[in-house]
Amino acid sequence: MTSIRQVSAAPALSADLAAVAANTRRFVSLARGCVMAVVKADGFGHGLGDVARTAVAAGATWIGVTSLAEAVEVRESGVDVPVLSWLNPVDVEVSQAVRYGIDLSVPSLAHLAAIEAGPVRVHLQLDTGMARDGAAPHEWLALMSAARRAELAGKVSVVGVMGHLPCADTTGANETGRKALLRGVEMARQAGLRPSVRHLAATSAALTDPSSHLDVVRIGAGLVGIDPSGTTRLRSALRFTAPVVQVRRVEAGVGVGYGHAHVTERATTLALLPVGYADGVPRAASGRAEVFLGGRRRPVVGVISMDQVVVDVGDDGVAPGDEAVVFGPGDEGEPTVADWARWAGTIPHEIVTGIGTRVQRCVR
Ligand SMILES: *Cc1c(COP(=O)(O)O)cnc(C)c1O
């Protein structure tokens, strides 16, 4: 009689909210001002509402996101602290922001001119050295006077001025951005505006440069355990698992997967996992990646496919239904998000925000 083992659950991603809470408390205690929890991109892949509620319960007093749609989702998850959305098209639905009590950034004259409904709370956004989002320094003066006129007309209420640092992972690189922001605030005051919240620093600068903190630090990566500055041990929160769906014994000299990028050197056992690059397992990590299976790390062999990867387990007994850990906090020897980022030639942020939609989500 053949015994057929029940194949265990599907690939799953679980977020450890206690880790998010611990990381949040750490930033709350080190920040000179307040902490804005940045929960864009589904809370860096950890669940937007869960991360927002956890961070607020742990002491964050602001929430930050890119789109207005994300901000509305934060509100609907039951969070009642100020929420800022800083990346929107010119024709963003301002009345919706007003209805949900959401602050918007104003990065250009065109954005300001398009505001009809109001008053909406705004943060004037200055490009402090990235040539990316925010108003260029030469546009700032005009933006300040237009903002003052819009305030007098009852369309906006200016509550903040924000910038972002281009090289915060490099020590000593923040001074130019900080000076630019403070100059921008001074010009706002001269135009008659009274912004009370100045913010510039994200995770790296918050960890390494207190002079950049100002009134609010915007923390995204750090909340979920990613430290781009490499200075601080934060708690990783994400665990990505997949069940073995098939096991086969092969001889030496067998080509594995597309293009036979790997050929077995000796007789071995291959285990198949139902996750691939469509699930956020980066194809660029092929040939280097490992997973934790059957008590230790094992190499992923051959090219990572869209939906599946093959793991070489040698002569060890691994069975369908056994759980492989693709990544986790690393406490038991499993690969971490940082390992996957290194194998794929990217940063941890891209790994955690890239997990595919068919992977089941849960919280711990
Ligand atoms: C994403 C983002 C943050 C958060 O940055 P982390 O380094 O992840 O903390 C802060 N500010 C802006 C403008 C962002 O886009």
Side-chain angles (χ1 to χ4, degrees):
M1 198 179 92
T2 336
S3 84
I4 300 176
R5 258 182 84 156
Q6 183 68 43
V7 170
S8 83
L13 188 72
S14 66
D16 174 10
L17 296 179
V20 173
N23 294 330
T24 305
R25 283 192 294 270
R26 180 148 188 178
F27 283 95
V28 167
S29 68
L30 71 81
R32 289 186 172 177
C34 301
V35 170
M36 177 185 292
V38 176
V39 301
K40 62 189 180 186
D42 195 28
F44 284 60
H46 292 59
L48 176 142
D50 289 321
V51 174
R53 281 188 302 266
T54 302
V56 168
T61 52
W62 284 80
I63 296 288
V65 290
T66 49
S67 71
L68 179 58
E70 290 173 315
V72 168
E73 207 182 321
V74 169
R75 270 284 172 264
E76 290 185 333
S77 78
V79 164
D80 60 5
V81 301
V83 177
L84 168 63
S85 157
W86 63 67
L87 193 65
N88 286 293
V90 167
D91 61 354
V92 60
E93 212 186 309
V94 173
S95 58
Q96 193 182 36
V98 173
R99 192 159 66 247
Y100 282 88
I102 287 157
D103 296 13
L104 297 177
S105 80
V106 170
S108 77
L109 276 170
H111 283 79
L112 186 65
I115 296 177
E116 294 293 345
V120 61
R121 284 165 44 106
V122 299
H123 298 233
L124 302 168
Q125 189 179 12
L126 175 63
D127 171 20
T128 50
M130 293 189 84
R132 204 184 66 167
D133 43 350
H138 70 270
E139 301 163 333
W140 190 248
L141 188 61
L143 184 60
M144 294 307 96
S145 22
R148 180 60 181 150
R149 285 194 301 276
E151 201 168 60
L152 291 171
K155 291 179 179 173
V156 303
S157 163
V158 174
V159 299
V161 174
M162 67 184 288
H164 195 52
L165 295 166
C167 307
D169 302 351
T170 320
T171 33
N174 300 333
E175 201 42 27
T176 312
R178 194 178 74 92
K179 282 194 178 135
L181 190 84
L182 295 180
R183 206 157 45 238
V185 171
E186 189 47 41
M187 286 164 72
R189 294 222 167 94
Q190 280 164 10
L193 299 166
R194 292 292 172 265
S196 57
V197 203
R198 303 161 303 164
H199 46 114
L200 179 66
T203 297
S204 265
L207 288 173
T208 59
D209 180 6
S211 76
S212 71
H213 287 193
L214 306 180
D215 304 309
V216 173
V217 292
R218 301 184 306 262
I219 309 298
L223 296 188
V224 300
I226 297 170
D227 169 21
S229 75
T231 60
T232 312
R233 222 180 127 68
L234 300 167
R235 282 175 59 180
S236 291
L238 217 51
R239 185 179 161 87
F240 185 12
T241 60
V244 171
V245 291
Q246 199 182 339
V247 172
R248 78 175 65 234
R249 187 74 190 164
V250 296
E251 296 308 313
V254 170
V256 180
Y258 288 122
H260 288 177
H262 176 80
V263 177
T264 56
E265 283 173 5
R266 61 183 71 83
T268 192
T269 299
L270 301 177
L272 183 68
L273 304 180
V275 287
Y277 56 80
D279 306 294
V281 179
R283 188 173 179 278
S286 300
R288 286 181 287 275
E290 298 169 342
V291 298
F292 193 81
L293 174 59
R296 47 175 287 233
R297 286 197 186 198
R298 319 274 183 178
V300 171
V301 292
V303 172
I304 291 170
S305 302
M306 183 184 292
D307 317 299
Q308 39 192 310
V309 298
V310 175
V311 180
D312 188 336
V313 299
D315 295 328
D316 293 347
V318 164
D322 287 357
E323 182 186 79
V325 183
V326 179
F327 59 71
D331 303 336
E332 285 144 31
E334 75 276 20
T336 62
V337 167
D339 289 330
W340 277 95
R342 201 176 63 253
W343 293 328
T346 184
I347 55 175
H349 313 55
E350 190 175 352
I351 303 293
V352 296
T353 58
I355 305 303
T357 49
R358 67 184 171 187
V359 177
Q360 285 179 8
R361 262 73 173 175
C362 60
V363 294
R364 277 178 284 145

